[in-house]
Amino acid sequence: MKRKRVQAAMMVAAVIVAAVFPLVVSNAAIDSVAIFTLMYVAMASAWNILGGFTGYVSLGHASFFGVGAYAFTILCHVWHVPGGWITFAMLPVAGVVAALIAIPFGWVALRTRKHTFVVITIAYLFIFQLLAYNLTGLTNGSAGLGSPIPSWTGSFFNIPFFYVALALALIVIAVAAWIRSSRLGLHLLAIRDDEDRALGLGIKTGRLKLSAFVIAALFIAMAGALYAYYITYVYPPFAMNPLDDLAMALMSFTGGVGTIAGPIIGALLVEPSQQYFTVAFQSGLNLVTYGGLFLVVILLIPRGLWPTLRDFVASRQSRQRVPQAPAAETSVLSSEGGGQ
Amino acid sequence: MPLLHVERIAKSFGGIQALRGCTFDVDQGSVTGLIGPNGSGKTTMFNVITGYTHPESGLVKYHDATIQGQSPRTIFERGLGRTFQAPRIFGRLSLVENLKVPTRQGTSHEPSRHRSTEWAEEWLAFVGLAQHRQTMAGALSYGQRKLLEFAIVLAAEPDLVLLDEPAGGVNPSMIETMAHLITETNGRGVTFLVVEHNMGFVMSLCHHVVVMHQGQVIADGSPDAIQSNPAVLDAYLGD
């Protein structure tokens, strides 16, 4: 209970800091990094609903980022939605379009498991990228499409995007936390541990996995739509970027895959570092840091920062309580000698 | 009418005929033993009954409804649960969460109490794991995992439970505990079909014993009759 109160207090403090951030920091470049970081908080948290809760590591959900970006831009053109505040209402519309497209793709991919699933999702990314290049009537091909131009400019330009990105991140985190605490989340975690056993205990594994796949696609697509509006342009290699897939997975694994806090911590650490390395050093060094960080995480903290830190604190606390602990258990189990 | 009726079940894996026309019944309210030397087809039979393996021919009837070929989920929803030789629990979930996993959703057999923490804790107390309620299941010992798996299956209130070597790999004290739990649960109306190599355990616990050898049922009767059956002795002792 105490731990939950501490976590809630930390979350409230983080939200307050985030809410005042653009008011305190008026540097446009830093605000831009903050917007991208919040987008990645949302994307990594959404990715974690599938990859972390069910154990199905998707390296293709960036395709739904692109679908969201294109759906937003194309629908704004078709429905003559001008740049302005109302344009943000198109984000959930783009998300729903991507979620509907994700259903058949998820249904097919989720008939496989483990490495095969990973490979199929990678293939999806390149299929969607090829479609974006070649469906020129819809996407304008390699020339890309212009998105609506926001009606505000100057030093205020970043502010609305910052708060919408923050709102999106908070919504995704809230949804992920709700799923984790619900029966749906429990069943997704059971699938992660032993899918066949979960099936044999009455769980509709196929339906639940597909739900996680589609929910992740929906929120990642909304981030894609926000991206398209922010940079006012959508272009195949940026919209369907394999590095976005690596980023979502890396952020989740760095912070703690399968936890709520993990993807948030991962995104807050990785994205600003990425932006810094991209600007400060020669081109390509940011990719080296991706690979290097992945190696460090997998080799040294395979469970991620948050669970490792949490267990470290818990073990310290339990060591301090040892003198007060009872000498021995008296249950039927205390005589059980079978080891693991 | 038996609760479970298995008739002429056949199953092969490549060139190996694992089951060759097996037929036997499990009566409602009984503890029935399914014994036989290693490789006789007991676990394959369990997999066929619970939907993890589909037979090439034959019939499995449960509550007089044909169930062979159905998925493990559907069969579980009908009230037929099982444990595995090596316990299969959810290692990264707490014990309470493990108890909340089984579901018979979509049937009239899942009262809302199945989803409550109190219900989970009652079952943990029943198998003696209450003090570990918030422990991650992966931290349990082998014997404790067997108890947890037993509780997970029973928490969904099945009518028939298939236990695959409940006394295998655990110490004598735990075997006694397991026998006591099976007897008590059977007294509450749950029927058991038990695969086990520990003959003392089987003969003291079971009302009826089915013996398999080389994919066939070679004997079927009371524990006393089985112990003096020449075909059974021959199967176990060999030439």
Side-chain angles (χ1 to χ4, degrees):
Chain A
M1 191 58 81
K2 185 186 170 190
R3 197 171 76 186
K4 282 191 174 173
R5 278 205 297 269
V6 170
Q7 286 176 1
M10 284 168 62
M11 194 69 194
V12 170
V15 172
I16 292 169
V17 168
V20 300
F21 183 85
L23 308 176
V24 177
V25 179
S26 55
N27 183 311
I30 294 175
D31 284 347
S32 178
V33 172
I35 290 166
F36 281 114
T37 302
L38 288 170
M39 276 188 206
Y40 276 108
V41 167
M43 289 161 63
S45 295
W47 183 92
N48 188 52
I49 292 171
L50 175 69
F53 292 174
T54 70
Y56 276 76
V57 174
S58 168
L59 290 182
H61 264 63
S63 46
F64 300 111
F65 179 89
V67 171
Y70 274 105
F72 169 83
T73 305
I74 293 166
L75 289 175
C76 283
H77 279 291
V78 171
W79 292 341
H80 306 293
V81 180
W85 296 95
I86 191 70
T87 318
F88 287 119
M90 292 299 290
L91 266 55
V93 177
V96 169
V97 170
L100 291 173
I101 291 172
I103 293 171
F105 283 91
W107 185 77
V108 172
L110 290 165
R111 300 179 81 79
T112 64
R113 292 185 188 181
K114 299 185 177 177
H115 310 97
T116 317
F117 175 80
V118 177
V119 171
I120 285 182
T121 54
I122 292 172
Y124 281 175
L125 180 80
F126 292 105
I127 288 169
F128 276 98
Q129 200 183 66
L130 276 172
L131 288 173
Y133 272 119
N134 291 293
L135 293 176
T136 47
L138 194 66
T139 63
N140 206 26
S142 56
L145 276 177
S147 301
I149 309 290
S151 52
W152 55 88
T153 55
S155 59
F156 182 72
F157 185 83
N158 281 332
I159 304 293
F161 289 103
F162 179 90
Y163 284 110
V164 172
L166 177 62
L168 179 62
L170 290 176
I171 289 168
V172 180
I173 292 164
V175 169
W178 173 78
I179 288 173
R180 174 62 187 87
S181 63
S182 71
R183 199 163 164 82
L184 166 64
L186 181 66
H187 287 172
L188 293 178
L189 294 172
I191 289 169
R192 177 191 66 182
D193 275 11
D194 188 341
E195 185 171 344
D196 288 330
R197 186 54 171 142
L199 185 71
L201 289 171
I203 296 174
K204 292 172 177 163
T205 53
R207 195 178 295 182
L208 297 187
K209 287 186 298 180
L210 185 59
S211 303
F213 190 98
V214 172
I215 291 168
L218 181 134
F219 287 121
I220 290 169
M222 285 176 69
L226 181 62
Y227 167 86
Y229 191 28
Y230 182 54
I231 66 163
T232 69
Y233 200 74
V234 56
Y235 174 64
F238 291 167
M240 278 91 168
N241 188 347
L243 289 178
D244 284 337
D245 273 319
L246 285 180
M248 288 186 280
L250 176 62
M251 288 163 183
S252 298
F253 277 97
T254 302
V257 70
T259 65
I260 301 301
I264 305 169
I265 294 169
L268 291 176
L269 288 175
V270 174
E271 179 56 18
S273 311
Q274 271 295 310
Q275 297 273 358
Y276 171 76
F277 283 121
T278 306
V279 172
F281 300 105
Q282 60 185 4
S283 175
L285 190 62
N286 58 333
L287 302 181
V288 175
T289 58
Y290 262 22
L293 184 59
F294 231 139
L295 276 176
V296 169
V297 169
I298 297 300
L299 291 175
L300 300 181
I301 45 166
R303 295 169 59 225
L305 280 172
W306 179 248
T308 306
L309 191 67
R310 196 177 53 191
D311 287 356
F312 175 73
V313 171
S315 74
R316 271 185 70 104
Q317 286 173 344
S318 76
R319 272 206 300 273
Q320 286 164 358
R321 281 199 299 266
V322 162
Q324 284 79 42
E329 291 174 350
T330 54
S331 78
V332 65
L333 297 166
S334 58
S335 58
E336 202 283 303
Q340 294 175 62
Chain B
M1 182 183 298
L3 178 62
L4 179 76
H5 173 67
V6 175
E7 189 178 312
R8 297 197 302 273
I9 288 291
K11 176 71 186 174
S12 60
F13 299 100
I16 298 167
Q17 190 77 32
L19 298 174
R20 306 160 183 253
C22 297
T23 299
F24 65 89
D25 289 338
V26 175
D27 290 331
Q28 181 128 27
S30 70
V31 179
T32 301
L34 182 62
I35 64 170
N38 283 331
S40 58
K42 304 182 297 295
T43 297
T44 303
M45 179 57 77
F46 262 30
N47 289 339
V48 166
I49 295 169
T50 53
Y52 282 89
T53 300
H54 296 323
E56 278 135 22
S57 63
L59 189 71
V60 181
K61 280 193 159 190
Y62 176 64
H63 277 305
D64 211 28
T66 304
I67 61 166
Q68 85 273 6
Q70 293 185 352
S71 74
R73 178 180 66 77
T74 310
I75 291 171
F76 182 78
E77 281 182 346
R78 287 175 173 274
L80 201 163
R82 74 170 289 185
T83 65
F84 289 82
Q85 194 174 337
R88 288 173 72 171
I89 52 164
F90 304 105
R92 286 179 283 181
L93 298 182
S94 72
L95 268 61
V96 166
E97 287 176 320
N98 265 273
L99 265 292
K100 288 179 172 180
V101 167
T103 176
R104 292 171 73 184
Q105 246 167 355
T107 72
S108 58
H109 298 286
E110 188 177 68
S112 55
R113 69 173 184 274
H114 282 193
R115 302 174 185 189
S116 72
T117 302
E118 292 74 25
W119 178 256
E121 287 175 346
E122 273 178 36
W123 280 103
L124 286 175
F126 177 68
V127 297
L129 290 172
Q131 72 274 34
H132 302 289
R133 51 195 290 278
Q134 292 304 338
T135 305
M136 289 296 123
L140 296 181
S141 72
Y142 186 76
Q144 288 172 321
R145 289 176 188 217
K146 289 229 169 204
L147 289 174
L148 176 63
E149 192 184 34
F150 185 74
I152 289 170
V153 173
L154 287 171
E157 297 188 307
D159 301 319
L160 172 62
V161 177
L162 277 55
L163 300 176
D164 199 347
E165 298 198 26
V170 296
N171 65 27
S173 166
M174 180 63 79
I175 293 173
E176 269 182 40
T177 304
M178 189 58 86
H180 169 73
L181 291 172
I182 294 169
T183 306
E184 191 169 333
T185 320
N186 179 240
R188 297 180 189 183
V190 180
T191 305
F192 287 94
L193 176 62
V194 184
V195 161
E196 186 52 65
H197 286 292
N198 183 329
M199 286 304 120
F201 184 87
V202 171
M203 296 305 166
S204 65
L205 196 70
C206 296
H207 308 126
H208 190 87
V209 177
V210 177
V211 187
M212 291 183 67
H213 182 50
Q214 295 180 343
Q216 290 178 306
V217 173
I218 58 166
D220 189 343
S222 69
D224 287 341
I226 290 298
Q227 285 181 85
S228 55
N229 186 310
V232 176
L233 294 173
D234 189 46
Y236 270 95
L237 299 175
D239 297 323

